């Protein structure tokens, strides 16, 4: 479904964090976005992510900061173990300045994907084979 009156279309290749973010932002500013993804379905899980200030600010601007969550436990304690197998209180990732959000890649993707408007077309099991750009139209 085209965005009423915009006439601007974009093809986004890949349904990862960057692709979903691009499609969401394009749609927010009035573009029609079509996302193509090689995989047959969305992926879940993924690697560990620490979301710091600029990433959190970007997620907030996209309107998904609360949706991506935070797996940081407020009572987490980290230990270092020496060669004699003695534990000592250590510094963990959540002890870093500005207390980054602790997430999985899948948490970020799920929050972003849920925020995509229903008129953003997502095509699975496909890749672009060619792109043909029409001549620009004159605006009056």
């Amino acid at each position: 479904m085209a965005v009423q009156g915009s006439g601007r279309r974009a093809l986004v290749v890949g349904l990862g964090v960057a692709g979903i973010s691009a499609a969401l932002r394009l749609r927010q500013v009035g573009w029609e976005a079509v996302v193509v993804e090689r995989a047959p379905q969305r992926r879940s899980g993924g690697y560990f992510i620490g979301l710091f200030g600029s990433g959190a600010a970007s997620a907030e601007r996209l309107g998904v900061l609360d949706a991506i969550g935070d797996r940081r436990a407020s009572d987490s304690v980290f230990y270092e173990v020496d060669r004699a197998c003695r534990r000592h209180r250590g510094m963990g990732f959540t002890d870093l300045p500005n207390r980054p959000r602790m997430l999985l890649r899948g948490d970020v993707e799920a929050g972003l994907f849920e925020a995509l408007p229903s008129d953003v077309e997502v095509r699975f099991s496909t890749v672009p084979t060619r792109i043909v750009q029409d001549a620009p139209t004159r605006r009056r």
Side-chain angles (χ1 to χ4, degrees), residues 19-58:
I20 302 171
S21 296
L24 178 58
R25 187 65 185 139
L26 284 165
R27 182 59 187 87
Q28 287 173 345
V29 297
W31 285 61
E32 175 188 1
V34 176
V35 183
V36 294
E37 169 57 43
R38 179 185 311 206
Q41 62 190 11
R42 280 186 45 232
R43 296 175 195 90
S44 62
Y47 48 83
F48 168 79
I49 294 175
L51 188 68
F52 288 86
S54 60
S58 295

Side-chain angles (χ1 to χ4, degrees), residues 6 23-25 37 49-50 56 83-84 90-91 94 121 123 133 137:
S6 76
L24 178 58
R25 187 65 185 139
E37 169 57 43
I49 294 175
R83 289 183 179 186
M91 184 174 145
T94 59
E121 183 179 353
R123 299 178 189 175
Q133 182 172 331
T137 58

Side-chain angles (χ1 to χ4, degrees), residues 18 27 87 95 125:
R27 182 59 187 87
R87 289 190 323 170
D95 296 322
S125 298

Side-chain angles (χ1 to χ4, degrees), residues 25-105:
R25 187 65 185 139
L26 284 165
R27 182 59 187 87
Q28 287 173 345
V29 297
W31 285 61
E32 175 188 1
V34 176
V35 183
V36 294
E37 169 57 43
R38 179 185 311 206
Q41 62 190 11
R42 280 186 45 232
R43 296 175 195 90
S44 62
Y47 48 83
F48 168 79
I49 294 175
L51 188 68
F52 288 86
S54 60
S58 295
E60 189 169 23
R61 280 192 305 274
L62 286 172
V64 299
L65 185 60
D66 291 335
I68 63 175
D70 188 353
R71 292 180 180 249
R72 180 183 58 218
S74 60
D75 58 349
S76 294
V77 177
F78 294 88
Y79 294 95
E80 295 175 2
V81 180
D82 64 20
R83 289 183 179 186
C85 296
R86 292 182 300 244
R87 289 190 323 170
H88 305 279
R89 176 81 163 98
M91 184 174 145
F93 200 74
T94 59
D95 296 322
L96 293 171
N98 300 320
R99 300 192 39 90
R101 285 179 179 244
M102 311 308 288
L103 311 160
L104 293 177
R105 178 181 172 275

